[in-house]
Amino acid sequence: MLVYIDGQFYDEKDAKVSVFDHGLLYGDGVFEGVRAYNGRVFKLSEHIKRLYDSAKAIMLKVLISESEMIESVLEALRKNNLKDGYIRILITRGEGSLGIDPITCARSSVIIIADSLNLYPEEFYETGLAIISASVRRNSPDVVNPKIKSLNYINNIMAKIEARQAGVLEAIMLDRNGYVCECTGDNIFIVKNGVIKTPPVYLGVLKGITRDFVIEIARDLGYIFQEEIMTQYDIYTADECFLTGTAAEAIPVVMADSREISNGNVGEVTKSIIKEFRLRVAQEGWEI
Ligand code: PXG
């Protein structure tokens, strides 16, 4: 596998960063995860826009333009002969001295890793996931705004550990008032009385590109959609539940905190969204 670092491609064993990179020392940087399906990169410009917005929010100057970034992502896929895959883009503050102050970091770094992806096992797309709610809360928008895809995912990682300890693969993260935000790497949706709902972004949720895409699909399929504040009660008593993310795509949830959602089977609305999702991702996107 060849990895892009600051304009050059390196064999994966030689693709290394300095131990003085503030991305490593402080989680000082931002990232994106992007997917390629069937020789096309899905929603590439949306991901790049969000990446540069994340960088702007933390005052991180990216040394290449958005169009150079797009071309480098496509090049990384070509160099690795990938038609389907997952692309991780990182921008780190770069090498500096020990000490928080980013002024010591002369140049930010761009890293692009194009690889294949371990999805959730395929069976869960058929039978649905069980999830728990984590005790660790999602970052508040007045602290590290979840809209920023920062390299610091400690809260989410701790929530993931709780999920693993409970024997499941994902965890719901609540905000500081106990409202449902999202999962550790996915947005959450419910279906109740025919209406598709997801928590509003202002609560402190990543504005997922898959979330936006699923909202578009839901409307095109004629469903009523609304953003709505929700609690664990609303998840437990929902008719259906599913998660969305670049890595997860759209995946059903059938159990939350040991309560079966509805009768514990994957719902019809969820099935229709997943079906349409798969149809569309294979057709649209930037050609590699
Ligand atoms: N919420 C959070 C907190 C995320 O990190 C999503 C929602 C979904 O957003 P998109 O734009 O992808 O629809 C994400 C992104 C992983 C992994 O290993 C997942 C993400 C990021 C990094 C790693 O599962 N998901």
Side-chain angles (χ1 to χ4, degrees), residues 168-186:
V168 299
L169 296 180
E170 249 307 6
I172 300 168
M173 300 185 77
L174 309 175
D175 79 345
R176 61 153 72 106
N177 296 312
Y179 292 111
V180 171
C181 286
E182 58 183 334
C183 290
T184 67
D186 317 295

Side-chain angles (χ1 to χ4, degrees), residues 19-38:
V19 294
F20 293 101
D21 192 310
H22 280 211
L24 176 66
L25 289 174
Y26 300 108
D28 186 355
V30 293
F31 77 102
E32 271 299 320
V34 191
R35 282 290 285 281
Y37 295 93
N38 199 25

